[in-house]
Amino acid sequence: MYATRDYLNSGDILRFCIQQATQPEFPEDFDPAKATARQVAPSFLYSYFRLRMMEPQRARETFEACIAVMEHPSITDDMVLTMMHMIRTFLHYCPIPPIDLYPKLIERATKFYLWPRPHSDAARDLLEVLSVEIKSPGAALRARIHEETASIYPIASSGVVTGKERYVHLLIDKDLPNARWLMEMLRNYVPPRPSDTDLQLRIIMTVFVVSLPNTTPDQLGLEYLPKEHVNHFYNRVIQVMDQCAAMPNEADAVKYREEQLANVKQEILQSLGQTPQSYPPRPPRVPSVEFLFRVSGFTLTTQTKDSSYNTRYWYPKRESTELLANLLRDYTQFASPAYRPVVKVGIVGNDATMHNIICGYVCLRLQQPDLFDRLDVRFFFIPAVQSTDLGNYLGSTDKWYGAHVASFLKAIGMLVPTLPAPQQATPGTFGETTQQQPSEVERAVRSGRSVSISPALVSAATASPYSMHSQMSQDPMEPLERVLCPSAILRMELETYFREAKWPVNMHLYRAECSASDNSTITIPFFSRAQLGLYAYAEVFRKQQDLPATMPREEVINHSKFNFKPVSFQIKYLQMNPVSQARAIGQQDYRQYQQICMASVPVAGDRAMNVNADPTHPWLELLLVDNSKKTGQRSDPKVYHVSQVELLSERVEPFHLLLDGRVYGPFVKVKITGAMYPDKDKIYTMPIMTYLPVDLGD
């Protein structure tokens, strides 16, 4: 990637690469094992463009190329969305921005403001950022730094400094090798953080260089400024820039900031000491986030009802409920009517992992109804297996998510082999080098496979020349993109997701009220789909025969001992119209079904059967496939648009239920409804963050 630097200096090549970066491909049936270089290339190109933002001339060239692409008549609707997202995020990485190009960017973005949603949403967001940047250059970068490092400017967070602003909580599914591997790779290196004083000096320097004509870092001499004066001048400078941002007129803002900054500059020069107090400040970047890991199996701990839940339904206790409660409890002390602490929670796993977290999430909302009203909790999903229904849905609706998150592990595996092999001097020689072989962890990254982690293995990876430890610069804010090691690349891409994904997909949640033959009941939340029949029995058979979890379902069904006997069901359902209003009550008399599915999240193949599932809408798609003589054959599928379904087996015959890939049962009766607030006619939703505005609901 870095060897192409000179090659990309060509304007035509740069524009071509930007066009490629804005056209990520992500099919609905995406399989990382079969991913092509074309599918994962956009994330590599985008990483390179972010790196260019650190250099003023290259940043200017990149913005000029973006303007040219936006003017091109062949730009598509999808390219418009991703292009505006790229430009907006570039502003958060550019310490010395080319502000003279911003009027052109505003002119181009204004053309898309009257387009239908979600394009108008993205255009409005970009225009808001650019309008502030023109009056207060570097405002986007400073806002990002203040958001994650509130201690340097508490006013930005309503005067509240929690010390947790840069924390990201990663929930690791211990049953998935790739999830554990990702955790160990992130632990392989924790980048150093600059001091608050160092960060303030860097920002002061860039404000003067960008906003005050004919000012250079050498003229300021900030390395001679006594540390006790840094915070005072930082507050002065930021207050000037904030006042400029609030002014309605651009010309007035420019005049005001130049006058005020000239006065502050004179005061700084008069306060300089005789000896340097620090290194000459360099342009800032947003310091790295801090990942906090919580490892669990997220399993059901007991079927005893918790009396603290405000509901008549029988929700069992789960490990995930207590985990989320402990995580959020640390933030409630900072909550107030004027301030809602942001809590970022990353879920690393598969659909079953998400299912278990959602079960805990619903129970916690029942247990402490006002907790989520006091906190701004944002969930992020990171697939840690070859393919997940949720990851594929998010990737197919937000192609940027697909290129940068859903294909994450595969992309990293394809990137590492292209890096130049680092060289290390052999002891006792001068000028001669020998190449060392990458560690087992790095070989696993290259091949895209998982690996069993041991302390010795991680230690070996840390000592490798591919590791950050052997390539550290003396600058604590050296961009991670410059360090060629798997741990740094993993960290860089994850940090990008947690910072740039600002649009929530509010997934509606549902519950299955399950009754056993002894009249005992249990209520189980789910988010994706509930299945009965062939697929549910296949998962039961997999466990009974101790078949590997990686064995495809088709192979399980074709197993010589597989013998599926359909159960006869009576089905009642409440049909809905397209605007979520009850239309009619339907009923199907006792009949054998090969498959019954209630879907919220779409999967590949749904459209062929006219199943139009959408988790952002409060309804389910009920799919009924009658039994046929030939096992595995679908016959006359019927689809209904429903809000609730009740299934009763004939002669109390037991059956199993498959919820989000997890098997429950046996039961004799199941009722599927929305997971409702106890005192409201409203379904619980869970926000999963994406890059682009794909959920257009209110």
Side-chain angles (χ1 to χ4, degrees), residues 60 94 100 267 332 390 402 407 458 506 515 517 591 646 659 661:
R60 169 177 289 276
C94 189
D100 58 303
E267 294 180 25
T332 55
L390 178 57
S407 57
V458 175
N506 293 301
S515 302
S517 57
R591 182 182 302 177
E646 186 174 327
L659 295 175

PDB file of all heavy atoms in Angstrom, residues 60 94 100 267 332 390 402 407 458 506 515 517 591 646 659 661:
ATOM      1  N   ARG A  60      -4.732  17.869   0.185  1.00  0.00           N
ATOM      2  CA  ARG A  60      -5.307  18.742  -0.845  1.00  0.00           C
ATOM      3  C   ARG A  60      -5.566  17.956  -2.129  1.00  0.00           C
ATOM      4  O   ARG A  60      -6.646  18.085  -2.744  1.00  0.00           O
ATOM      5  CB  ARG A  60      -4.349  19.904  -1.119  1.00  0.00           C
ATOM      6  CG  ARG A  60      -4.701  20.741  -2.349  1.00  0.00           C
ATOM      7  CD  ARG A  60      -3.758  21.921  -2.512  1.00  0.00           C
ATOM      8  NE  ARG A  60      -4.031  22.899  -1.467  1.00  0.00           N
ATOM      9  CZ  ARG A  60      -4.981  23.819  -1.540  1.00  0.00           C
ATOM     10  NH1 ARG A  60      -5.761  23.893  -2.620  1.00  0.00           N
ATOM     11  NH2 ARG A  60      -5.173  24.666  -0.565  1.00  0.00           N
ATOM     12  N   CYS A  94      -7.831  15.221   9.197  1.00  0.00           N
ATOM     13  CA  CYS A  94      -6.991  16.211   8.508  1.00  0.00           C
ATOM     14  C   CYS A  94      -6.640  17.351   9.456  1.00  0.00           C
ATOM     15  O   CYS A  94      -7.458  18.251   9.680  1.00  0.00           O
ATOM     16  CB  CYS A  94      -7.741  16.745   7.287  1.00  0.00           C
ATOM     17  SG  CYS A  94      -6.721  17.763   6.212  1.00  0.00           S
ATOM     18  N   ASP A 100      -9.601  26.397   1.482  1.00  0.00           N
ATOM     19  CA  ASP A 100     -10.012  27.105   0.267  1.00  0.00           C
ATOM     20  C   ASP A 100     -10.801  26.199  -0.674  1.00  0.00           C
ATOM     21  O   ASP A 100     -11.484  26.692  -1.594  1.00  0.00           O
ATOM     22  CB  ASP A 100      -8.782  27.662  -0.453  1.00  0.00           C
ATOM     23  CG  ASP A 100      -7.788  26.573  -0.810  1.00  0.00           C
ATOM     24  OD1 ASP A 100      -7.331  25.847   0.119  1.00  0.00           O
ATOM     25  OD2 ASP A 100      -7.468  26.425  -1.999  1.00  0.00           O
ATOM     26  N   GLU A 267       0.667  37.055  23.255  1.00  0.00           N
ATOM     27  CA  GLU A 267       0.740  36.650  24.652  1.00  0.00           C
ATOM     28  C   GLU A 267       1.584  35.386  24.810  1.00  0.00           C
ATOM     29  O   GLU A 267       2.339  35.252  25.786  1.00  0.00           O
ATOM     30  CB  GLU A 267      -0.660  36.426  25.210  1.00  0.00           C
ATOM     31  CG  GLU A 267      -1.509  37.681  25.288  1.00  0.00           C
ATOM     32  CD  GLU A 267      -2.885  37.407  25.842  1.00  0.00           C
ATOM     33  OE1 GLU A 267      -3.026  36.410  26.587  1.00  0.00           O
ATOM     34  OE2 GLU A 267      -3.829  38.162  25.539  1.00  0.00           O
ATOM     35  N   THR A 332     -23.634   5.082  35.157  1.00  0.00           N
ATOM     36  CA  THR A 332     -24.835   5.748  35.651  1.00  0.00           C
ATOM     37  C   THR A 332     -24.525   6.882  36.609  1.00  0.00           C
ATOM     38  O   THR A 332     -25.298   7.842  36.715  1.00  0.00           O
ATOM     39  CB  THR A 332     -25.755   4.729  36.341  1.00  0.00           C
ATOM     40  OG1 THR A 332     -25.015   4.037  37.375  1.00  0.00           O
ATOM     41  CG2 THR A 332     -26.272   3.705  35.335  1.00  0.00           C
ATOM     42  N   LEU A 390     -26.990 -11.575  10.451  1.00  0.00           N
ATOM     43  CA  LEU A 390     -27.016 -10.160  10.784  1.00  0.00           C
ATOM     44  C   LEU A 390     -25.923  -9.401  10.044  1.00  0.00           C
ATOM     45  O   LEU A 390     -26.159  -8.321   9.490  1.00  0.00           O
ATOM     46  CB  LEU A 390     -26.866  -9.967  12.292  1.00  0.00           C
ATOM     47  CG  LEU A 390     -26.837  -8.515  12.778  1.00  0.00           C
ATOM     48  CD1 LEU A 390     -28.089  -7.776  12.350  1.00  0.00           C
ATOM     49  CD2 LEU A 390     -26.657  -8.458  14.288  1.00  0.00           C
ATOM     50  N   GLY A 402     -20.250  -3.585   4.866  1.00  0.00           N
ATOM     51  CA  GLY A 402     -19.857  -4.861   4.288  1.00  0.00           C
ATOM     52  C   GLY A 402     -18.380  -4.934   3.965  1.00  0.00           C
ATOM     53  O   GLY A 402     -17.719  -5.940   4.216  1.00  0.00           O
ATOM     54  N   SER A 407     -16.571  -8.215   6.125  1.00  0.00           N
ATOM     55  CA  SER A 407     -15.475  -8.960   5.498  1.00  0.00           C
ATOM     56  C   SER A 407     -14.146  -8.666   6.192  1.00  0.00           C
ATOM     57  O   SER A 407     -13.082  -8.813   5.601  1.00  0.00           O
ATOM     58  CB  SER A 407     -15.383  -8.595   4.011  1.00  0.00           C
ATOM     59  OG  SER A 407     -15.202  -7.188   3.855  1.00  0.00           O
ATOM     60  N   VAL A 458       1.539 -15.667  21.923  1.00  0.00           N
ATOM     61  CA  VAL A 458       1.370 -14.219  21.880  1.00  0.00           C
ATOM     62  C   VAL A 458       2.693 -13.521  22.147  1.00  0.00           C
ATOM     63  O   VAL A 458       3.038 -12.521  21.517  1.00  0.00           O
ATOM     64  CB  VAL A 458       0.317 -13.777  22.914  1.00  0.00           C
ATOM     65  CG1 VAL A 458       0.223 -12.263  22.950  1.00  0.00           C
ATOM     66  CG2 VAL A 458      -1.036 -14.376  22.581  1.00  0.00           C
ATOM     67  N   ASN A 506     -32.186   0.385  14.034  1.00  0.00           N
ATOM     68  CA  ASN A 506     -32.970   0.005  15.213  1.00  0.00           C
ATOM     69  C   ASN A 506     -33.721  -1.293  14.927  1.00  0.00           C
ATOM     70  O   ASN A 506     -34.798  -1.289  14.329  1.00  0.00           O
ATOM     71  CB  ASN A 506     -33.941   1.130  15.579  1.00  0.00           C
ATOM     72  CG  ASN A 506     -33.205   2.372  16.060  1.00  0.00           C
ATOM     73  OD1 ASN A 506     -32.464   2.328  17.025  1.00  0.00           O
ATOM     74  ND2 ASN A 506     -33.404   3.484  15.360  1.00  0.00           N
ATOM     75  N   SER A 515     -44.353 -23.249  25.768  1.00  0.00           N
ATOM     76  CA  SER A 515     -44.984 -24.103  26.782  1.00  0.00           C
ATOM     77  C   SER A 515     -44.585 -25.544  26.546  1.00  0.00           C
ATOM     78  O   SER A 515     -44.630 -26.044  25.410  1.00  0.00           O
ATOM     79  CB  SER A 515     -46.509 -23.977  26.721  1.00  0.00           C
ATOM     80  OG  SER A 515     -46.910 -22.633  26.921  1.00  0.00           O
ATOM     81  N   SER A 517     -44.859 -29.826  27.791  1.00  0.00           N
ATOM     82  CA  SER A 517     -45.972 -30.755  28.032  1.00  0.00           C
ATOM     83  C   SER A 517     -46.420 -30.764  29.484  1.00  0.00           C
ATOM     84  O   SER A 517     -47.553 -31.155  29.783  1.00  0.00           O
ATOM     85  CB  SER A 517     -45.563 -32.167  27.599  1.00  0.00           C
ATOM     86  OG  SER A 517     -44.382 -32.569  28.295  1.00  0.00           O
ATOM     87  N   ARG A 591     -51.936 -29.392  10.206  1.00  0.00           N
ATOM     88  CA  ARG A 591     -51.307 -29.851   8.972  1.00  0.00           C
ATOM     89  C   ARG A 591     -49.819 -30.045   9.237  1.00  0.00           C
ATOM     90  O   ARG A 591     -49.233 -29.345  10.070  1.00  0.00           O
ATOM     91  CB  ARG A 591     -51.516 -28.817   7.868  1.00  0.00           C
ATOM     92  CG  ARG A 591     -50.936 -29.205   6.508  1.00  0.00           C
ATOM     93  CD  ARG A 591     -51.158 -28.106   5.489  1.00  0.00           C
ATOM     94  NE  ARG A 591     -52.583 -27.791   5.325  1.00  0.00           N
ATOM     95  CZ  ARG A 591     -53.043 -26.835   4.536  1.00  0.00           C
ATOM     96  NH1 ARG A 591     -52.188 -26.077   3.850  1.00  0.00           N
ATOM     97  NH2 ARG A 591     -54.333 -26.610   4.437  1.00  0.00           N
ATOM     98  N   GLU A 646     -49.264 -18.000  16.739  1.00  0.00           N
ATOM     99  CA  GLU A 646     -49.435 -19.013  17.787  1.00  0.00           C
ATOM    100  C   GLU A 646     -49.481 -20.381  17.130  1.00  0.00           C
ATOM    101  O   GLU A 646     -50.254 -20.609  16.194  1.00  0.00           O
ATOM    102  CB  GLU A 646     -50.719 -18.752  18.571  1.00  0.00           C
ATOM    103  CG  GLU A 646     -50.895 -19.681  19.762  1.00  0.00           C
ATOM    104  CD  GLU A 646     -52.097 -19.325  20.612  1.00  0.00           C
ATOM    105  OE1 GLU A 646     -52.411 -18.116  20.697  1.00  0.00           O
ATOM    106  OE2 GLU A 646     -52.721 -20.244  21.180  1.00  0.00           O
ATOM    107  N   LEU A 659     -34.108 -20.582  17.468  1.00  0.00           N
ATOM    108  CA  LEU A 659     -34.147 -19.125  17.576  1.00  0.00           C
ATOM    109  C   LEU A 659     -32.756 -18.560  17.312  1.00  0.00           C
ATOM    110  O   LEU A 659     -31.821 -18.826  18.077  1.00  0.00           O
ATOM    111  CB  LEU A 659     -34.623 -18.696  18.967  1.00  0.00           C
ATOM    112  CG  LEU A 659     -36.054 -19.061  19.356  1.00  0.00           C
ATOM    113  CD1 LEU A 659     -36.326 -18.666  20.799  1.00  0.00           C
ATOM    114  CD2 LEU A 659     -37.059 -18.397  18.428  1.00  0.00           C
ATOM    115  N   GLY A 661     -30.502 -19.430  15.433  1.00  0.00           N
ATOM    116  CA  GLY A 661     -29.471 -20.450  15.338  1.00  0.00           C
ATOM    117  C   GLY A 661     -29.273 -21.280  16.592  1.00  0.00           C
ATOM    118  O   GLY A 661     -28.456 -22.203  16.588  1.00  0.00           O
TER     119      GLY A 661
END
